[in-house]
Amino acid sequence: MTPDPSPPPTADTDARAVLLLRLAGPLQSWGSRGAFNRRETSPEPTRSGVIGLLAAAAGYARERPLDELLPLRLGVRVDLPGTLLRDYHTVSDYRGRPLPQAGVNAKGIQKPTSPPKPTHVTTRYYLQDAVFVAGLAGSRALLETLHLAVRGPAFPLALGRRSCPPTQPVSLGLRDTGLEDALREEPWQASRRAREAYASQLGRERGAGRAVRPARVDRSFTIEDPDGDDVLHDAPVSFDPHARSFTSRRVRHGWLSIPSGFPNADPDPVDGSGDDAGHDPFALLGW
């Protein structure tokens, strides 16, 4: 195992900044709960998944304390929600031995299944073709170290599970602004094909007879807020295999009007029929 690098600076030693990460790939799976035989995915990246990605990039051993990373404040923007994939998955011992039981005896040893079971059938869920922008606010010096680590990771990066590698680029760099403002002003990270499909759908909805390419689009986001009205139990305390633990965090959900990224965006509508006339809660469903 590669030894841990020198500890990065703590979160309170210098100026503040925001590190933006582009989390995109063919498959993602952000598990916040689930037993062995059923592994679910949250609809957007979890705090444990994002902190785990950064820890892997920086070369943290699993037993290493997360003290440097825990103060970082997280916000996630949903650029493309993706679609849910259910995977029929089997597990067996390559030596042909019966699989052990999930529980252990008083000595911490797993007993074989009785009657012997050579194969487990498990259900696993993934997000297909999703794109997220995650922002982490904290010490500039710490975030600069993490930005370089993500560009040249010590361990392979994954989008929640090892079988879900990210597409490049992962790090979008640092921003000298607040967390919510950074998420608001970062251009839409959807692919050109996805943006054009959105423009065509928008044109049909408005009866324009052509694709409509707005300058800004609405996207949902979740941001950590001590006064938030929702609680998520996905904040890691330790990744130590012998002492894994998590705690809760408060978050706030909302919508952001972000730059669409269209090179030749249409002028903002003035007749009350466009995106700026108000948020359409069914827009992401294509209604």
Side-chain angles (χ1 to χ4, degrees), residues 116-129:
K117 181 184 292 186
T119 304
H120 271 310
V121 177
T122 72
T123 301
R124 306 190 180 199
Y125 291 90
Y126 300 85
L127 298 176
Q128 303 177 98
D129 301 321

Side-chain angles (χ1 to χ4, degrees), residues 67-80:
D67 297 346
E68 299 93 356
L69 304 179
L70 294 184
L72 295 173
R73 182 179 175 225
L74 174 67
V76 174
R77 191 181 81 191
V78 182
D79 283 26
L80 290 176

